[in-house]
Amino acid sequence: MEIGLYGLGRMGGNMVTRLVRGGHRVVAGNRSPGPVDEAVARGAVGAHTIEEMVSKLSPPRVLWSMVPAGEATEETIEAFARSASRGDVIVDGANSYCRDSMRRGARLQEAGYDFVDVGVSGGIWGLELGFCMMVGGLDRAVARVRPALDTLAPPNGWAHFGKSGAGHFTKMVHNGIEYG
């Protein structure tokens, strides 16, 4: 599979490495150049802007954001939507609020995109052990992202919980249990 992943912090960078090791073509993007250069050294294709990342992927694309929840995620998803084409899948891998994911899913669907929200758990151990992922979105969009989910997760380490917002809702419950 071919995938663009933007946001190369600890989790995003490790996800790129795991995807490359799994045989995927990954276009890795980030605001600062250092993490992009590191991803290229590990086998990814580098992109220093979202526009460049999108241009290096063949439609229909999968564009995955791993930036922090909140304004950074909002800005990244908006930039994806400005550069993407109808039929592309936009994935939010942040710990976003589930109602924001529901809103984004509805807005992006109206614009001709599919949206998948993925609550990601695994921290720095995800590179070697795999990332557990809680997924929300339309069946067709999840099916398009499935090869990446299968590579990123350990066996039986991801599940589709329903429509947009369900992944981040489940991750919120997960965090409440974990931190409680």
Side-chain angles (χ1 to χ4, degrees):
M1 140 171 225
E2 180 180 73
I3 186 169
L5 195 143
Y6 189 83
L8 304 177
R10 284 188 180 220
M11 285 183 68
N14 284 342
M15 289 171 75
V16 166
T17 300
R18 193 164 170 95
L19 287 165
V20 168
R21 287 180 183 170
H24 301 281
R25 180 177 183 270
V26 182
V27 179
N30 199 70
R31 284 186 314 169
S32 53
V36 174
D37 296 338
E38 292 170 18
V40 168
R42 293 189 307 266
V45 176
H48 294 353
T49 66
I50 288 172
E51 295 80 10
E52 181 184 3
M53 186 179 83
V54 170
S55 75
K56 291 182 176 184
L57 295 163
S58 301
R61 301 169 189 88
V62 173
L63 306 170
W64 189 309
S65 172
M66 281 304 293
V67 300
E71 193 59 34
T73 291
E74 196 71 35
E75 291 172 5
T76 299
I77 289 174
E78 287 301 316
F80 282 173
R82 283 192 303 274
S83 299
S85 303
R86 292 178 68 85
D88 288 352
V89 177
I90 296 175
V91 181
D92 174 8
N95 273 338
S96 293
Y97 179 52
C98 59
R99 292 196 186 274
D100 288 340
S101 296
M102 293 166 67
R103 174 182 49 81
R104 289 179 186 126
R107 187 181 74 243
L108 290 168
Q109 188 172 3
E110 286 177 13
Y113 307 109
D114 282 335
F115 177 74
V116 176
D117 58 295
V118 181
V120 180
S121 181
I124 58 173
W125 303 279
L127 175 60
E128 296 306 322
L129 302 176
F131 298 91
C132 290
M133 293 174 289
M134 294 135 270
V135 181
L138 297 173
D139 289 343
R140 69 174 182 249
V142 174
R144 291 255 321 278
V145 178
R146 183 183 188 113
L149 298 170
D150 287 343
T151 299
L152 290 168
N156 298 312
W158 72 271
H160 182 200
F161 289 95
K163 60 186 180 179
S164 294
H168 285 140
F169 179 84
T170 306
K171 175 64 170 160
M172 177 181 64
V173 172
H174 163 278
N175 285 347
I177 293 167
E178 183 176 31
Y179 300 124

